[in-house]
Amino acid sequence: MEPTMDAWAVTRPGPIETGPLERVVRPVPRPRGHEVEIEVLACAVCRTDLHLAEGDLAPRRPGTVPGHEVVGRVVSQGPDAELYAPGDRVGVAWLASTCGVCAYCRRGDENLCPYSTYTGRHRDGGFARRLTADERYVHPLPETLPVTTTAPLLCAGVIGYRALQRAEPPERGVLGLYGFGASAHLTAQVALAQGATVHVMTRSREARELALEPGCHSATGAYDPPPEPLSSAILYAPVGDLVPTALRALDRGGTLAVAGIHLTDIPSLDYRRDLFQERSLRSVTANTRKDARAFLDFAAEHPLTVAVTPYPFDAADHALADLAADRVRGAAVLLP
């Protein structure tokens, strides 16, 4: 008989209280071509997984298995795979493949590839006992890194790192973070290590307390003005109403980067009040493999404190519900 495994799939996208994530039994995937089969050791839970489950971001195939922050171990290889051997520890992230030949790929902007695919959206992800991934988009991980705290680095950390670059903070500038979940928690530590002053604006009292632990200079309500003009800012909360608020908090020449893959509608902007004096508004679209490797190298040289809330694999639906209700401290991580 064909071997099977447990997994969680988005069977009927909708509000989290309707149970869009369902426990299923699936055949164990077999690697083809450049793919490797990976045993999942840990998978962090991202807000993008919640957007997929609730239908804000439509899955590209029925019954998709979410999860794109995977720490795992290679079990077997496809016939063309040669980069990893069985037993190697690897990380699987959001970017699953690109065409490699379009203008965006050729110029190094593979995150903009119109033919890109993503783990947990186009192909099954890590809310399962095993998955397959193209080895060319898999990242080597040392055995010394704990699986629980490494998993959130593969999306929350990487996308935060790219968002920080997109915000273009000046040397020893003043950075504002709107929303303070897993990604912002890691971005704050990177910015602090680089000498920035960091102010956090978020609705959750517990998140404000968490923001002060790594040394952020203030933590106030989401719509409160920061204590000083911001050189740059990153919006993590998927709340379009915060865009004008964050723009108004920018100093002259400042940049706001919107880090989420989903955002509610942005209200009308007042040009003079919100954008004049060369304030900039930029989006952040996924990340490149180069971003991921640069961030993982940074994390290896500057150990980051990763706040996690562990969940057993059987409680993946509860993890998503807690994330929706802001009950997760740091990053939720599914463990076998």
Side-chain angles (χ1 to χ4, degrees):
M1 293 181 62
E2 186 177 24
T4 59
M5 66 176 185
D6 291 333
W8 290 89
V10 178
T11 54
R12 49 185 183 280
I16 197 65
E17 59 270 17
T18 66
L21 194 68
E22 183 179 353
R23 186 78 172 265
V24 297
V25 176
R26 292 279 178 84
V28 173
R30 295 306 184 199
R32 299 175 297 178
H34 287 279
E35 293 177 340
V36 287
E37 177 191 354
I38 299 167
E39 177 190 7
V40 178
L41 303 178
C43 183
V45 181
C46 179
R47 190 162 290 275
T48 300
D49 299 320
L50 179 62
H51 291 319
L52 281 161
E54 294 199 310
D56 297 323
L57 186 67
R60 291 302 176 91
R61 49 200 292 274
T64 299
V65 175
H68 55 272
E69 300 176 277
V70 180
V71 176
R73 193 174 301 283
V74 173
V75 176
S76 66
Q77 305 159 277
D80 301 319
E82 56 184 11
L83 299 179
Y84 300 100
D88 287 348
R89 182 178 288 187
V90 295
V92 182
W94 176 236
L95 185 64
S97 72
T98 59
C99 75
V101 297
C102 70
Y104 306 102
C105 287
R106 291 199 308 270
R107 74 187 192 198
D109 295 327
E110 65 181 5
N111 61 306
L112 302 180
C113 174
Y115 309 104
S116 56
T117 66
Y118 299 96
T119 310
R121 189 184 188 199
H122 294 84
R123 59 185 300 155
D124 287 339
F127 283 25
R129 301 297 187 185
R130 295 193 181 186
L131 79 160
T132 56
D134 186 323
E135 66 170 2
R136 295 166 293 187
Y137 293 81
V138 166
H139 305 284
L141 296 176
E143 292 284 345
T144 54
L145 292 176
V147 297
T148 305
T149 53
T150 300
L153 302 182
L154 291 159
C155 181
V158 173
I159 201 66
Y161 186 80
R162 182 170 183 86
L164 188 60
Q165 314 313 308
R166 293 283 290 166
E168 295 187 338
E171 185 176 357
R172 299 194 176 278
V174 181
L175 174 69
L177 302 177
Y178 287 83
F180 201 78
S183 189
H185 181 253
L186 294 168
T187 305
Q189 295 178 64
V190 174
L192 290 166
Q194 294 174 341
T197 297
V198 180
H199 300 295
V200 172
M201 282 66 66
T202 187
R203 66 180 181 178
S204 165
R205 178 184 59 80
E206 186 176 42
R208 292 195 292 271
E209 294 173 355
L210 179 62
L212 297 175
E213 291 180 9
C216 292
H217 295 78
S218 73
T220 58
Y223 293 89
D224 292 340
E228 58 185 317
L230 304 173
S231 312
S232 54
I234 303 172
L235 174 60
Y236 286 103
V239 182
D241 283 348
L242 282 171
V243 170
T245 298
L247 285 170
R248 292 166 200 165
L250 290 175
D251 202 353
R252 298 180 179 210
T255 298
L256 170 65
V258 180
I261 194 171
H262 168 76
L263 189 71
T264 58
D265 290 345
I266 300 173
S268 296
L269 299 177
D270 182 290
Y271 175 69
R272 178 162 294 276
R273 181 179 56 186
D274 301 334
L275 286 171
F276 196 55
Q277 301 295 350
E278 300 195 349
R279 297 180 180 92
S280 298
L281 174 62
R282 312 179 80 177
S283 65
V284 180
T285 301
N287 59 270
T288 66
R289 284 171 286 178
K290 184 178 178 181
D291 293 328
R293 287 160 190 167
F295 171 70
L296 291 171
D297 287 345
F298 181 94
E301 296 176 8
H302 304 81
L304 303 173
T305 300
V306 186
V308 300
T309 302
Y311 288 82
F313 178 81
D314 294 346
D317 52 345
H318 295 297
L320 273 190
D322 287 349
L323 184 63
D326 288 335
R327 293 190 293 262
V328 176
R329 186 178 188 274
V333 179
L334 300 183
L335 298 171

PDB file of all heavy atoms in Angstrom, residues 34-46:
ATOM      1  N   HIS A  34      14.495  17.883  -9.565  1.00  0.00           N
ATOM      2  CA  HIS A  34      15.419  18.496  -8.614  1.00  0.00           C
ATOM      3  C   HIS A  34      14.853  18.558  -7.190  1.00  0.00           C
ATOM      4  O   HIS A  34      15.430  19.244  -6.337  1.00  0.00           O
ATOM      5  CB  HIS A  34      15.772  19.910  -9.070  1.00  0.00           C
ATOM      6  CG  HIS A  34      16.688  19.949 -10.262  1.00  0.00           C
ATOM      7  ND1 HIS A  34      18.053  19.794 -10.155  1.00  0.00           N
ATOM      8  CD2 HIS A  34      16.416  20.108 -11.586  1.00  0.00           C
ATOM      9  CE1 HIS A  34      18.593  19.870 -11.358  1.00  0.00           C
ATOM     10  NE2 HIS A  34      17.630  20.048 -12.239  1.00  0.00           N
ATOM     11  N   GLU A  35      13.789  17.860  -6.925  1.00  0.00           N
ATOM     12  CA  GLU A  35      13.165  17.927  -5.604  1.00  0.00           C
ATOM     13  C   GLU A  35      13.865  17.022  -4.596  1.00  0.00           C
ATOM     14  O   GLU A  35      14.495  16.030  -4.949  1.00  0.00           O
ATOM     15  CB  GLU A  35      11.695  17.521  -5.687  1.00  0.00           C
ATOM     16  CG  GLU A  35      10.824  18.484  -6.469  1.00  0.00           C
ATOM     17  CD  GLU A  35       9.394  18.004  -6.572  1.00  0.00           C
ATOM     18  OE1 GLU A  35       9.148  16.785  -6.386  1.00  0.00           O
ATOM     19  OE2 GLU A  35       8.523  18.830  -6.858  1.00  0.00           O
ATOM     20  N   VAL A  36      13.695  17.396  -3.326  1.00  0.00           N
ATOM     21  CA  VAL A  36      14.075  16.524  -2.214  1.00  0.00           C
ATOM     22  C   VAL A  36      12.849  16.312  -1.337  1.00  0.00           C
ATOM     23  O   VAL A  36      11.986  17.192  -1.220  1.00  0.00           O
ATOM     24  CB  VAL A  36      15.233  17.118  -1.380  1.00  0.00           C
ATOM     25  CG1 VAL A  36      16.543  17.028  -2.128  1.00  0.00           C
ATOM     26  CG2 VAL A  36      14.958  18.564  -0.962  1.00  0.00           C
ATOM     27  N   GLU A  37      12.753  15.139  -0.759  1.00  0.00           N
ATOM     28  CA  GLU A  37      11.712  14.832   0.226  1.00  0.00           C
ATOM     29  C   GLU A  37      12.262  15.193   1.596  1.00  0.00           C
ATOM     30  O   GLU A  37      13.398  14.845   1.942  1.00  0.00           O
ATOM     31  CB  GLU A  37      11.343  13.356   0.169  1.00  0.00           C
ATOM     32  CG  GLU A  37      10.315  12.937   1.223  1.00  0.00           C
ATOM     33  CD  GLU A  37      10.162  11.427   1.316  1.00  0.00           C
ATOM     34  OE1 GLU A  37      10.765  10.707   0.481  1.00  0.00           O
ATOM     35  OE2 GLU A  37       9.462  10.971   2.238  1.00  0.00           O
ATOM     36  N   ILE A  38      11.458  15.903   2.390  1.00  0.00           N
ATOM     37  CA  ILE A  38      11.923  16.445   3.664  1.00  0.00           C
ATOM     38  C   ILE A  38      10.981  16.043   4.787  1.00  0.00           C
ATOM     39  O   ILE A  38       9.753  16.222   4.682  1.00  0.00           O
ATOM     40  CB  ILE A  38      12.010  17.992   3.584  1.00  0.00           C
ATOM     41  CG1 ILE A  38      13.006  18.408   2.491  1.00  0.00           C
ATOM     42  CG2 ILE A  38      12.386  18.595   4.927  1.00  0.00           C
ATOM     43  CD1 ILE A  38      12.929  19.873   2.117  1.00  0.00           C
ATOM     44  N   GLU A  39      11.550  15.505   5.846  1.00  0.00           N
ATOM     45  CA  GLU A  39      10.799  15.252   7.079  1.00  0.00           C
ATOM     46  C   GLU A  39      10.719  16.559   7.860  1.00  0.00           C
ATOM     47  O   GLU A  39      11.732  17.200   8.125  1.00  0.00           O
ATOM     48  CB  GLU A  39      11.516  14.195   7.921  1.00  0.00           C
ATOM     49  CG  GLU A  39      10.847  13.931   9.256  1.00  0.00           C
ATOM     50  CD  GLU A  39      11.699  13.069  10.166  1.00  0.00           C
ATOM     51  OE1 GLU A  39      12.861  12.780   9.808  1.00  0.00           O
ATOM     52  OE2 GLU A  39      11.208  12.696  11.245  1.00  0.00           O
ATOM     53  N   VAL A  40       9.516  16.965   8.234  1.00  0.00           N
ATOM     54  CA  VAL A  40       9.316  18.234   8.923  1.00  0.00           C
ATOM     55  C   VAL A  40       9.657  18.073  10.406  1.00  0.00           C
ATOM     56  O   VAL A  40       9.067  17.251  11.108  1.00  0.00           O
ATOM     57  CB  VAL A  40       7.872  18.733   8.762  1.00  0.00           C
ATOM     58  CG1 VAL A  40       7.660  20.034   9.539  1.00  0.00           C
ATOM     59  CG2 VAL A  40       7.541  18.943   7.287  1.00  0.00           C
ATOM     60  N   LEU A  41      10.611  18.870  10.866  1.00  0.00           N
ATOM     61  CA  LEU A  41      10.983  18.885  12.283  1.00  0.00           C
ATOM     62  C   LEU A  41      10.290  20.014  13.039  1.00  0.00           C
ATOM     63  O   LEU A  41      10.048  19.909  14.241  1.00  0.00           O
ATOM     64  CB  LEU A  41      12.500  19.035  12.415  1.00  0.00           C
ATOM     65  CG  LEU A  41      13.353  17.977  11.719  1.00  0.00           C
ATOM     66  CD1 LEU A  41      14.833  18.284  11.903  1.00  0.00           C
ATOM     67  CD2 LEU A  41      13.023  16.589  12.260  1.00  0.00           C
ATOM     68  N   ALA A  42      10.000  21.105  12.351  1.00  0.00           N
ATOM     69  CA  ALA A  42       9.284  22.244  12.938  1.00  0.00           C
ATOM     70  C   ALA A  42       8.775  23.101  11.799  1.00  0.00           C
ATOM     71  O   ALA A  42       9.413  23.213  10.748  1.00  0.00           O
ATOM     72  CB  ALA A  42      10.191  23.063  13.852  1.00  0.00           C
ATOM     73  N   CYS A  43       7.613  23.721  11.995  1.00  0.00           N
ATOM     74  CA  CYS A  43       7.077  24.647  11.002  1.00  0.00           C
ATOM     75  C   CYS A  43       6.436  25.811  11.742  1.00  0.00           C
ATOM     76  O   CYS A  43       5.490  25.624  12.512  1.00  0.00           O
ATOM     77  CB  CYS A  43       6.045  23.963  10.101  1.00  0.00           C
ATOM     78  SG  CYS A  43       5.416  25.055   8.788  1.00  0.00           S
ATOM     79  N   ALA A  44       6.969  27.006  11.519  1.00  0.00           N
ATOM     80  CA  ALA A  44       6.380  28.187  12.132  1.00  0.00           C
ATOM     81  C   ALA A  44       5.087  28.553  11.406  1.00  0.00           C
ATOM     82  O   ALA A  44       4.869  28.199  10.253  1.00  0.00           O
ATOM     83  CB  ALA A  44       7.367  29.352  12.107  1.00  0.00           C
ATOM     84  N   VAL A  45       4.238  29.257  12.108  1.00  0.00           N
ATOM     85  CA  VAL A  45       2.929  29.663  11.589  1.00  0.00           C
ATOM     86  C   VAL A  45       2.978  31.151  11.279  1.00  0.00           C
ATOM     87  O   VAL A  45       3.265  31.969  12.157  1.00  0.00           O
ATOM     88  CB  VAL A  45       1.819  29.359  12.614  1.00  0.00           C
ATOM     89  CG1 VAL A  45       0.454  29.760  12.068  1.00  0.00           C
ATOM     90  CG2 VAL A  45       1.839  27.877  12.995  1.00  0.00           C
ATOM     91  N   CYS A  46       2.694  31.481  10.034  1.00  0.00           N
ATOM     92  CA  CYS A  46       2.808  32.859   9.552  1.00  0.00           C
ATOM     93  C   CYS A  46       1.408  33.455   9.368  1.00  0.00           C
ATOM     94  O   CYS A  46       0.440  32.731   9.125  1.00  0.00           O
ATOM     95  CB  CYS A  46       3.562  32.859   8.222  1.00  0.00           C
ATOM     96  SG  CYS A  46       3.768  34.478   7.466  1.00  0.00           S
TER      97      CYS A  46
END
